[in-house]
Structure formats: structure tokens, C-alpha cells
Amino acid sequence: EVQLVESGGGLVQRGGSLRLSCVASGFMFSSHGLNWVRQAPGKGLEWISYISSSGNTIYYADSVKGRFTVSRDNAKNSLFLQLNSLRDEDTAVYYCARDREQMTYWGQGTPVTVSS
Amino acid sequence: QSLLTQPPSVSAAPGQKVTISCSGRRSNIGNNYVSWYQQLPGTAPKLLIFENSDRPSGIPDRFSGSKSGTSATLGITGLQTGDEADYYCGTWDSSLGVYVFGTGTKVTVL
């Protein structure tokens, strides 16, 4: 069974930093691209980043470019998102999702709240 | 502001059919596969349709997808109360190099 489990969310001050993790199981982690998607309270889905299976190809949404960094450790079946210079509008539930062409599997999400 | 436009809400009685449109442009829907996602209240999104019209294993054939030009459509037949959820289309935008989600549509079973 494919599982994606996010962690690392929490309450952080405006301008602060946070590191999210997503641990995968049930599939060949090193063969799949991965995404981060977030959802602000009461709002729709917003894609924020993609990393290829090898980590060589990375894309970001303009809203996070230069502030967030995606990475992965294929030996540990883990995906990461480093969030820096956090703003009020970064408050959201952050999901990791597998695959490039479509988000085939999703984690349960980890909430991030940016407080002033 | 999303590049993919969906109606905010659709509704119908149990057993009836609803369709949800997703309107984009050549650089996204026109040139790429469209997926559809279902998000039940308080849960993570789930893939419903991929590659415009294919269903993952376990998704009933009451759900269907199609694409024509720069628009895509999700159809739900035999509507059930358990189908009440938010539905999102999604695809890559080749010009921008980003994945885009639709604005989302809330389905209500009357």
C-alpha cells in the first residue's frame, strides 16, 4: 500500500523558517517525481513545487520561488520542503503528492500557521 | 488567480447527473493531459481521473472525464450523497513550467 506521511508543520513567526518532511512507503521511491501542494484555510489547491525522481529537475510556483527549497533523499525514501522568510499567506495545509503528470497519491497533510 | 476556471458550485438530486467544466488555454489544457481530483470534507484530495479520461483502479465508472481543445469536463452520473465534495481539475502549463489547479467546484446533492 502506497503511503505518504508528512510532518514538520506547526506555528512559526512571520519571517521564520520551517522544514517539512514527507516519508514514503509501498513503492519504489527513487522512480517517482514528487510534488508539494498547499491549501490555505477555506481556499483551493495551490501547487508549489515539483522534484524529479533523481532530483535533477525542480520547479517552483512564483509565489514561493526564492523562499522555499525542495529536496529529496532517495536512500531514506524522504521528500523535504525548506520554508524560509515565511509570510502570513503561507499559512496552509501542506501536502506531498506523487508523480508528475497527475498527483496519483497524496499524504494526509501537515498544517503550517504563520503568526505575527 | 488560477489559470483554470471552474464553476463555483453545481447541484442535483440523488441519481441525477452533473457536469463540471474546466476552462483553460492552449499552453495548459490544450497541450497537456488533464486530471481531476475529489476532496471530501476534511480529507486530502484523491485522484479521480487522469490523462483526460482514465480512471485509477477503484474509481467507479459513474465518474468520467473528457477534453476538447482548451476545455475539460468531469461528469458524475447516478449522484450519491457520498459524492458531496470539492472537485478540482489540474494540468501542467507548458509555457509557465508550473502545475495549475482549477478554482474548484463544490458538488451538492439536493
Side-chain angles (χ1 to χ4, degrees), chain B residues 6-87:
Chain B
Q6 299 179 229
S9 64
V10 297
S11 61
Q16 297 300 302
K17 175 181 178 178
V18 295
T19 60
I20 300 170
S21 60
C22 175
S23 178
R25 56 183 71 171
R26 184 184 299 177
S27 60
N28 43 62
I29 292 179
N31 287 338
N32 296 283
Y33 286 126
V34 176
S35 300
W36 288 90
Y37 305 90
Q38 177 194 59
Q39 187 174 31
L40 297 169
T43 69
K46 180 176 79 171
L47 179 66
L48 210 57
I49 298 288
F50 67 100
E51 293 185 2
N52 303 330
S53 58
D54 288 344
R55 289 184 307 277
S57 173
I59 300 300
D61 59 6
R62 300 187 299 106
F63 296 91
S64 63
S66 63
K67 187 183 98 168
S68 178
T70 59
S71 292
T73 301
L74 174 71
I76 310 174
T77 59
L79 205 58
Q80 302 175 1
T81 55
D83 296 333
E84 286 202 330
D86 293 321
Y87 293 82

Side-chain angles (χ1 to χ4, degrees), chain A residues 13-81:
Chain A
Q13 282 197 326
R14 185 189 301 158
S17 298
L18 214 53
R19 190 190 196 211
L20 307 183
S21 300
C22 170
V23 177
S25 60
F27 64 96
M28 185 69 70
F29 183 80
S30 59
S31 297
H32 292 266
L34 295 156
N35 302 270
W36 285 101
V37 177
R38 69 183 180 184
Q39 186 170 35
K43 302 297 184 182
L45 302 174
E46 180 189 14
W47 171 87
I48 55 175
S49 185
Y50 166 82
I51 183 168
S52 64
S53 57
S54 64
N56 289 338
T57 299
I58 289 174
Y59 303 114
Y60 294 103
D62 285 346
S63 58
V64 305
K65 199 175 294 182
R67 299 188 301 122
F68 291 7
T69 303
V70 65
S71 62
R72 63 189 295 162
D73 183 340
N74 285 347
K76 296 183 178 180
N77 286 3
S78 295
L79 170 72
F80 305 102
L81 187 66

